[in-house]
Amino acid sequence: MAIGTLSASYSTLQSLMWPEAGICTERELYVHTDGPAALSISKREVQFIASGTADFGTWFNLFNTEKWKRECGLSDLALELQGEGTFELTITLAAQDRSWETVLTEIVSFEEAAQDEPLRFDLQHILSEPYTDGLVFFALKAMSNGKLSDARWVSRDEAKRSPSLNLAVTTFRREEAVARTMKRFEGYMSTSVIKDHLHLTVTDNGQTLAEHFDLSTLPSFISVVPNANLGGAGGFTRGLLETRDRGDSHCLFMDDDASIHMESIERTWTFLAYANDPNTAVSGAMISEARRWAIWENGALFFERCRPLFMNTDLRDPSEMTEMELAATPSVPRNFYAGWWYFAFPVDAANHLAFPFFVRGDDVSFSLANAFNTVTLNGVVSFQESFTEKESPLTWYLDLRSHMAHHLSLPDLEVGKWRVLKIAVWFLLRNLPRMHYNSIAAINLAMEDVISGPDYFDRNADVAARRSDIKALTKAEAWQPLTPDVVLPPHRENPTPAWHRTLMKLTLNGHLLPGYKKLGKKILLTGPQRGYIGVIWGASEITYLNTERTKYYTVRHSKAEAWQALRAFARNARLFVRKYDALVKSYRGAYGTMTSEPYWREKLGMQHTPEAKHKEAAE
């Protein structure tokens, strides 16, 4: 162990993250306290009385030595602490399929450090044998009254580059959300050590921000760009092209409400600065606003369907959290994709821009078509409205057409006509038992549009006509305000017995049974249950409540609607199978052009400029 004062030769790799009002206040995601230890969110510190403990073995504050060694060649590491008092310090290393190892236990006193300087603990030895790569974290037990005011993982390794990072945010008539984001970013820039390397570009798809704000008063590090409403595909592509025109080396796609800890930006920038591979990109995880302690996805895979990784991992549970982070440490597979709620990447590696999907699927093909070396970082996460909550006939339409187009466009996803058709069948069977006939009608429209070929996406990049069509057909599945006079059926909390579910599946949940409309149950399902098909069997009428329990809609069994939808699906399926070979040739032939920079500059009405020289400078 070495204890000393701050040296200019050390650089911060990762600082502590703290609970933050408006983002996440689930304290066990950041620090586990026990005994007389108290957390102050506003001061960002832990105060102790003797015997109080604070354990920072949490997803937001552990340090992943395995990932840093593999991706950045990390050869030097130390832990710096700032505070007051005397503590027992324990540093632990958790490795895959091995006992956790205590690599340091020591009585330490902040009085040993020079005034206003941290204590530093050299951990270089844990980066080589006999130690195993894994996750390292620290805990403190107070021997006297004291406090911890800061901690950071530092290194004497030199960064390989100094990225210039443009944060590209796309918005559509969400002025209040964007205002909060710009204000938070401005506050962050006032103290950030990387402020000279950051810029924020807001792509205004609704072209309304100038009506609500005096854009001339914005600081120089924030730009607002009016843009045609071509959805996220057009908005984020505009942000990428603005990044290139600025000459920045890296772009970070982010949602307009920026529901992230701003320290995520610093962690991302630092990792990109140290990465060995210049094509390294960072994918942020996603957590639902309704369950801020559980992972929605920490990256995802696409092959025939989107498969979120590590869904429902309880980050409050040290065992679950550690198991997830260790499992997420190896290099990601080729079919890994990053959601655009938080995705940082080098612009030089983006040889294909987005396909004009409008929304839904643009992030999938962007990841799969480009040779990014994508990594996830613990603590880098965006808090989002649940995708289940957003589900509608329109999202089913958008999802199916992108799923099918991916397999038609990208040679690595070639599976043949029957397996591509199987995707559409899966979409159908997710909705038929739930009596979501409006969604099945939208699925049929998606199949028709895919069969029309890639030119359809080009001609209808704004999806205006289809949005209007689907709005008109969305009747039963349209949310209604929940008023006191609405009588709700009994809430079904759990699935029916397995034998019953099997029987109902054989009848397509009563669609093959005469008189089922009267025989089936009337049930109520709440927001978290909306995407769970296990609870719907045996129901002929389902009322859905949103998470806030302020809105509802009711779907009812109808053989007439079901068979009408099934006939249309069968016609589309036959046509798709017949035209499959021609569609593959057409989509693959058009993909390069429709994801090119000249295509998008013309689509967005941007000037064709020569490729800008990137600012990234090796150090």
Side-chain angles (χ1 to χ4, degrees):
M1 179 184 72
I3 301 177
T5 58
L6 183 66
S7 167
S9 63
Y10 281 89
S11 298
T12 299
L13 301 182
Q14 182 177 301
S15 300
L16 284 185
M17 284 187 179
W18 301 87
E20 182 178 352
I23 302 298
C24 180
T25 55
E26 294 274 358
R27 62 186 292 166
E28 290 186 333
L29 274 58
Y30 305 85
V31 57
H32 300 287
T33 56
D34 189 34
L39 169 67
S40 170
I41 293 179
S42 61
K43 294 181 180 179
R44 297 164 70 93
E45 66 180 27
V46 181
Q47 296 189 7
F48 301 83
I49 296 175
S51 78
T53 65
D55 183 347
F56 288 87
T58 63
W59 188 64
F60 280 92
N61 287 317
L62 61 81
F63 187 84
N64 192 321
T65 62
E66 182 175 349
K67 193 170 292 186
W68 271 87
K69 282 182 66 177
R70 186 187 70 244
E71 299 292 340
C72 305
L74 185 68
S75 62
D76 183 72
L77 181 66
L79 172 66
E80 291 184 347
L81 303 175
Q82 285 184 292
E84 299 173 3
T86 301
F87 294 86
E88 177 191 74
L89 169 66
T90 303
I91 300 178
T92 303
L93 178 65
Q96 186 76 53
D97 299 325
R98 297 174 68 95
S99 298
W100 293 11
E101 186 162 4
T102 300
V103 297
L104 184 150
T105 301
E106 194 65 60
I107 306 300
V108 301
S109 174
F110 285 100
E111 280 63 43
E112 295 182 29
Q115 186 176 7
D116 298 326
E117 296 291 349
L119 296 176
R120 182 182 303 125
F121 305 90
D122 184 8
L123 298 171
Q124 187 178 23
H125 62 288
I126 73 169
L127 300 178
S128 56
E129 294 182 353
Y131 292 98
T132 304
D133 297 335
L135 315 176
V136 63
F137 53 89
F138 73 95
L140 293 170
K141 180 178 181 180
M143 311 300 292
S144 65
N145 292 356
K147 70 177 182 180
L148 177 74
S149 54
D150 198 10
R152 51 192 169 267
W153 304 94
V154 299
S155 176
R156 287 171 292 187
D157 288 353
E158 292 187 0
K160 300 171 180 65
R161 63 190 60 81
S162 183
S164 51
L165 180 63
N166 184 36
L167 285 63
V169 166
T170 296
T171 189
F172 181 78
R173 297 180 181 175
R174 283 167 46 92
E175 294 83 12
E176 291 185 7
V178 172
R180 289 193 299 269
T181 294
M182 292 191 292
K183 183 177 180 180
R184 288 188 69 220
F185 184 68
E186 190 171 351
Y188 172 70
M189 290 288 278
S190 67
T191 60
S192 174
V193 296
I194 60 171
K195 61 184 179 181
D196 293 338
H197 306 283
L198 303 179
H199 186 86
L200 171 63
T201 297
V202 178
T203 300
D204 181 14
N205 277 3
Q207 302 187 30
T208 58
L209 294 182
E211 301 171 8
H212 291 79
F213 309 107
D214 182 0
L215 301 183
S216 65
T217 64
L218 292 177
S220 59
F221 49 77
I222 299 179
S223 305
V224 174
V225 181
N227 195 53
N229 183 25
L230 301 183
F236 283 115
T237 296
R238 180 63 181 262
L240 191 162
L241 294 176
E242 293 289 338
T243 303
R244 283 184 171 168
D245 290 349
R246 280 180 41 78
D248 292 326
S249 63
H250 289 73
C251 184
L252 168 57
F253 288 165
M254 263 189 350
D255 275 353
D256 56 5
D257 57 3
S259 291
I260 62 167
H261 292 296
M262 286 295 170
E263 288 86 349
S264 293
I265 299 171
E266 198 162 312
R267 286 192 187 182
T268 299
W269 185 92
T270 302
F271 197 88
L272 294 173
Y274 280 84
N276 293 326
D277 186 348
N279 288 347
T280 296
V282 174
S283 169
M286 195 269 247
I287 291 177
S288 166
E289 291 176 344
R291 302 167 78 228
R292 295 175 189 262
W293 44 266
I295 286 287
W296 178 271
E297 71 173 59
N298 190 15
L301 305 180
F302 179 84
F303 193 80
E304 298 182 4
R305 294 202 303 272
C306 297
R307 292 174 171 83
L309 297 175
F310 309 109
M311 179 177 276
N312 294 324
T313 297
D314 188 342
L315 297 177
R316 300 168 300 184
D317 184 316
S319 296
E320 282 194 39
M321 177 278 298
T322 303
E323 182 179 353
M324 180 196 77
E325 183 60 24
L326 288 170
T329 295
S331 299
V332 301
R334 184 68 188 89
N335 61 328
F336 180 96
Y337 73 89
W340 280 1
W341 48 78
Y342 192 101
F343 183 47
F345 58 92
V347 294
D348 274 350
N351 295 315
H352 291 279
L353 309 187
F355 191 83
F357 283 125
F358 190 73
V359 294
R360 299 276 181 149
D362 39 11
D363 50 2
V364 177
S365 63
F366 186 72
S367 287
L368 299 185
N370 290 302
F372 298 124
N373 173 38
T374 305
V375 299
T376 59
L377 298 178
N378 59 287
V380 176
V381 61
S382 180
F383 296 86
Q384 297 280 317
E385 181 184 355
S386 169
F387 275 16
T388 302
E389 198 83 352
K390 296 178 182 179
E391 184 183 291
S392 69
L394 180 60
T395 61
W396 283 102
Y397 164 82
L398 294 166
D399 279 340
L400 178 57
R401 67 183 202 145
S402 66
H403 278 52
M404 297 180 75
H406 296 328
H407 282 280
L408 293 168
S409 303
L410 301 175
D412 286 350
L413 296 181
E414 171 60 46
V415 292
K417 56 190 174 185
W418 297 112
R419 289 182 67 176
V420 178
L421 180 60
K422 180 183 173 183
I423 298 170
V425 172
W426 184 86
F427 274 61
L428 170 72
L429 293 179
R430 287 289 296 180
N431 284 283
L432 183 62
R434 299 191 303 147
M435 299 164 285
H436 278 55
Y437 308 120
N438 297 167
S439 291
I440 298 175
I443 287 169
N444 278 316
L445 292 178
M447 292 187 70
E448 292 173 15
D449 296 345
V450 169
I451 293 168
S452 296
D455 288 348
Y456 180 87
F457 290 87
D458 179 38
R459 297 192 309 270
N460 297 276
D462 61 0
V463 197
R466 278 301 189 227
R467 281 185 285 154
S468 178
D469 294 339
I470 293 172
K471 183 178 180 180
L473 66 79
T474 304
K475 297 174 183 175
E477 297 171 42
W479 290 104
Q480 306 294 330
L482 182 62
T483 56
D485 61 312
V486 175
V487 178
L488 298 175
H491 181 209
R492 178 180 285 180
E493 298 185 20
N494 299 305
T496 58
W499 66 265
H500 180 264
R501 297 198 303 274
T502 300
L503 176 63
M504 296 313 301
K505 289 176 184 178
L506 293 174
T507 68
L508 298 178
N509 203 25
H511 285 96
L512 300 180
L513 290 178
Y516 183 73
K517 188 171 184 177
K518 294 181 179 180
L519 295 173
K521 300 289 186 180
K522 296 180 180 180
I523 65 171
L524 173 71
L525 299 178
T526 57
Q529 296 175 297
R530 193 161 175 240
Y532 181 31
I533 201 169
V535 292
I536 60 93
W537 302 105
S540 62
E541 182 177 306
I542 306 175
T543 298
Y544 290 90
L545 282 182
N546 67 341
T547 300
E548 291 77 21
R549 304 196 177 206
T550 57
K551 296 184 291 185
Y552 79 103
Y553 69 85
T554 300
V555 292
R556 297 176 175 86
H557 180 89
S558 171
K559 287 183 172 59
E561 288 188 75
W563 292 113
Q564 180 182 6
L566 287 171
R567 284 192 293 270
F569 186 88
R571 287 194 300 270
N572 288 329
R574 287 194 296 269
L575 185 58
F576 174 78
V577 169
R578 189 163 66 246
K579 297 185 66 174
Y580 178 80
D581 291 339
L583 287 172
V584 168
K585 183 177 180 180
S586 180
Y587 275 92
R588 292 183 186 173
Y591 190 84
T593 299
M594 293 174 65
T595 59
S596 68
E597 182 168 332
Y599 171 87
W600 273 108
R601 286 192 180 273
E602 182 175 350
K603 203 79 170 171
L604 297 172
M606 296 180 68
Q607 183 179 1
H608 289 260
T609 60
E611 182 172 312
K613 182 179 180 180
H614 296 324
K615 291 180 181 178
E616 183 177 293
E619 292 187 350

